[in-house]
Amino acid sequence: MFRAALRQYLEEAAKRAVTDGALPDVPLPSVEVDVPRGRRHADYATNLPLALARTAGRPPREIAQAIVDALEIPPQQVARVEIAGAGFINFFLAPAWLHDLLRHIYSAGDTYGNRDLGRRRRVNVEYVSANPTGPLHIGSGRNGVIGDVLANLLAALGYDVVREYYINDAGLLVHALAQSVEHHYFAHFGQEKPFPEDGYRGEYVRDLAMQIVQRDGNAWLARPEEERLTAFREFALGEILAEMRRTLEEFGIRFDVWFSERALYEQGAVDRALTALRERGLLYEQDGAVWFRSTSFGDDKDRVIIRSNGRPMYYAADIPYHLNKLERGFELLIDVWGVDHFGDVARVKGGLAALGVDTSRLEILLYQHVRLRNEGELLRMSRRRGEFVTLADLLDAVGRDAARYFFCMYTPSVPMDFDWQLARETSQDNPVYYVQYAHARISSILRETLNHPVGRALVAPAVLAGGQPFDLAAIRDADLSVLTHETEIALLHALAELPEVIEIAGRRREPQRLCTYARELAEAFHVFYTQCRVLSDDRRLTMARLILTAAVRLVLRRTLGLIGVSAPDRM
RNA sequence: GGGCCCGUAGCUCAAUGGACAGAGCAACGGCCUUCUAAGUCGUAGGCUGAGGGUUCGAAUCCCUCCGGGCCCGCCA
């Protein structure tokens, strides 16, 4: 709320300076208000004079002076304004304005930090979308957290968000899965059935076969192969998808839509898209296959789109799939893909562009892969070889909170190593505990309030149920001017940052900023806690600090909520 | 070979083109008759891979080089 207000004041001042002739009439750049690193120089600062210097043709400090002269800010909001450095304007907030922040936070409650950038525009975020051929592995954990947190951020920014999972249930992969199950099924009855070339070797494949044995005995041995494979495929798909849903649920991820690739084929959407491409002269035949002229859209070579055996490639369905999403009324589509799918971006976007879609409406967020490290040794994961650590294993080992926080902490475009050994043994050193501990400490104080001679009279019993201890009237009447300690001021500044963090993290698709912020807020609280006692004999001070402390809990809870990590009341 | 991503403290990572580049872990030294020590304070640690450029200002943008990851399939 401070930045937005300061921006407004600055814009008005600059316009006033132009009207008064103190500044030449040049276009105003977008006004930026920053927190100087470590708040060393000021609470807030703007580089507006520096940005204006060139077009205005005046020294920055002179411009700064003209703007400062024209500034009209109530003294109860900003205590001091100064010109510094090369031409920055520095602002020092009046304590009263900072105290107002607490009233603002309580009145916003769980919506504190929200913005209305989206204006209810509809966004589809598609993530995880792992092939339904086996358990989710660790990479899907990173994908899931990036997508889920991004969806949370966009919702907080006022977008109407739909979370979607695309099920690749149509291609060769699920066929190979069915054949793999069939192999184990026959083996159980001592019969030979060759293992498919691209088969799946994990232990779970044998388990699936055994479940069929248990249910149907040897009934399938004598049935026609096609019928058997169809039945095995459907059984395996159902089981695997159910297992995925369980794991994702445990991971705190829930989808609004599970979209079937096969449905696209059954509805003829794939054929329609291919026909449309053909009509535009973008397909041609060569070596028995049909090729897509993807070089027309920035690809480095043309690609096969229909194999010589008549089966379309994976990305052929991806084109109508994204058309389908647009037809469902989404203005923006965001896909979260592993970096190994990089090559598909040009194909899918090219296909869409060919059909007249403005491809700026499709944004593909690529994240680098997760490598697993064990005792310093890097492990490569391959599902086909049956070598991977599942997401379910990870959840068992480190828990949902640590896993989510860990995946969220890293910038998506940077590869991350997951140290299995460390993750298993770590509980104290994990950064998530630092943040959660701050929350638990606050809850502990609020509980303790009920036993405190001064505190008892101040708070509502709702504290015990984890609710807010104060109503808005109590906060309006409280004297917050006693919050003057350096650590209290620092804490207030930290609280003020959440809206900005949500906006930047959401707009730039950088969920890790939430983790950085959570840590900073927790740190500000821990420092305050060590230096200031909340519950004391001073009734006014106790009340003010309780209000501050409960506001920190609210903001921590909100931040952790966006990350999808729990906010425990005890640890 | 071509395309994309990355290179920041011993290790893992932060850092809206802004002022003296910050945390955690690891190392060393302090702080618990007081609301949770899973905390806190201090010390030490850096030519932001190298070199050019753009800019009033570059870890951040551009170019070259070095090093690493991913992709370049009628797999997904």
Side-chain angles (χ1 to χ4, degrees), chain A residues 108 128 137 172 187 199 232 259 264 294 304 317 331 364 473 488 490 507 567:
Chain A
V128 185
H137 63 82
L172 293 170
F232 283 15
F259 195 95
L264 288 170
S294 56
V304 167
E331 288 189 38
I364 295 172
E488 292 168 333
R507 242 181 25 203

Side-chain angles (χ1 to χ4, degrees), chain A residues 202-455:
Chain A
E203 191 57 35
Y204 66 92
V205 183
R206 184 190 304 272
D207 292 343
L208 288 168
M210 288 309 107
Q211 286 180 57
I212 298 175
V213 169
Q214 218 151 40
R215 194 187 60 181
D216 303 330
N218 66 358
W220 291 103
L221 289 174
R223 306 296 281 273
E225 178 169 283
E226 199 183 321
E227 187 188 335
R228 181 172 59 235
L229 283 174
T230 301
F232 283 15
R233 184 191 67 198
E234 289 312 293
F235 178 79
L237 265 178
E239 291 297 311
I240 287 170
L241 281 171
E243 179 63 29
M244 280 180 171
R245 270 182 215 244
R246 268 197 296 279
T247 303
L248 289 167
E249 191 95 1
E250 206 183 314
F251 204 39
I253 293 178
R254 215 171 287 181
F255 290 94
D256 301 309
V257 176
W258 292 76
F259 195 95
S260 157
E261 178 187 11
R262 201 189 301 161
L264 288 170
Y265 282 95
E266 287 166 356
Q267 293 158 8
V270 180
D271 285 340
R272 280 197 300 277
L274 287 169
T275 302
L277 288 174
R278 197 185 307 274
E279 282 166 355
R280 286 166 174 74
L282 294 165
L283 303 188
Y284 60 89
E285 295 208 20
Q286 189 179 304
D287 307 327
V290 178
W291 296 67
F292 172 45
R293 218 178 283 283
S294 56
T295 44
S296 304
F297 305 95
D299 208 347
D300 56 349
K301 51 178 139 173
D302 289 345
R303 309 285 169 166
V304 167
I305 194 163
I306 304 174
R307 301 174 181 88
S308 47
N309 65 9
R311 303 185 83 110
M313 299 281 288
Y314 162 85
Y315 76 92
D318 245 8
I319 295 166
Y321 174 44
H322 287 89
L323 283 177
N324 177 287
K325 287 193 215 177
L326 291 170
E327 282 160 9
R328 280 184 272 149
F330 296 105
E331 288 189 38
L332 178 65
L333 311 179
I334 299 178
D335 291 358
V336 182
W337 289 2
V339 70
D340 54 327
H341 285 77
F342 169 77
D344 289 331
V345 175
R347 257 91 79 197
V348 174
K349 284 201 167 192
L352 289 169
L355 300 180
V357 171
D358 169 13
T359 52
S360 68
R361 291 172 67 191
L362 169 61
E363 191 179 306
I364 295 172
L365 184 61
L366 298 175
Y367 65 93
Q368 295 282 329
H369 273 184
V370 180
R371 294 187 306 183
L372 198 56
R373 189 193 290 272
N374 200 6
E375 292 171 2
E377 189 191 351
L378 282 175
L379 306 176
R380 305 295 320 203
M381 282 175 284
S382 160
R383 174 170 293 179
R384 294 231 171 122
R385 293 200 305 270
E387 297 165 7
F388 52 83
V389 175
T390 66
L391 184 55
D393 291 340
L394 180 74
L395 288 173
D396 286 346
V398 307
R400 169 184 147 174
D401 287 344
R404 282 193 69 122
Y405 198 91
F406 209 82
F407 281 127
C408 186
M409 260 172 54
Y410 297 86
T411 309
S413 61
V414 174
M416 71 175 266
D417 290 345
F418 207 112
D419 192 322
W420 186 249
Q421 189 76 8
L422 188 72
R424 284 187 74 92
E425 68 193 32
T426 293
S427 56
Q428 306 222 356
D429 297 339
N430 203 309
V432 68
Y433 293 103
Y434 183 87
V435 179
Q436 289 182 317
Y437 187 57
H439 186 272
R441 261 186 161 172
I442 294 171
S443 293
S444 171
I445 293 172
L446 295 180
R447 277 194 303 273
E448 193 57 30
T449 303
L450 300 175
N451 301 319
H452 188 270
V454 174

Side-chain angles (χ1 to χ4, degrees), chain A residues 16-66:
Chain A
R16 217 171 285 129
V18 169
T19 313
D20 299 347
L23 278 184
D25 192 3
V26 294
L28 199 63
S30 77
V31 179
E32 303 288 340
V33 174
D34 296 328
V35 176
R37 212 191 286 276
R39 254 176 242 284
R40 264 190 293 263
H41 303 90
D43 294 331
Y44 292 95
T46 185
N47 63 352
L48 181 61
L50 290 159
L52 270 171
R54 167 162 295 197
T55 47
R58 298 258 202 95
R61 290 187 68 106
E62 201 176 295
I63 297 171
Q65 191 61 54

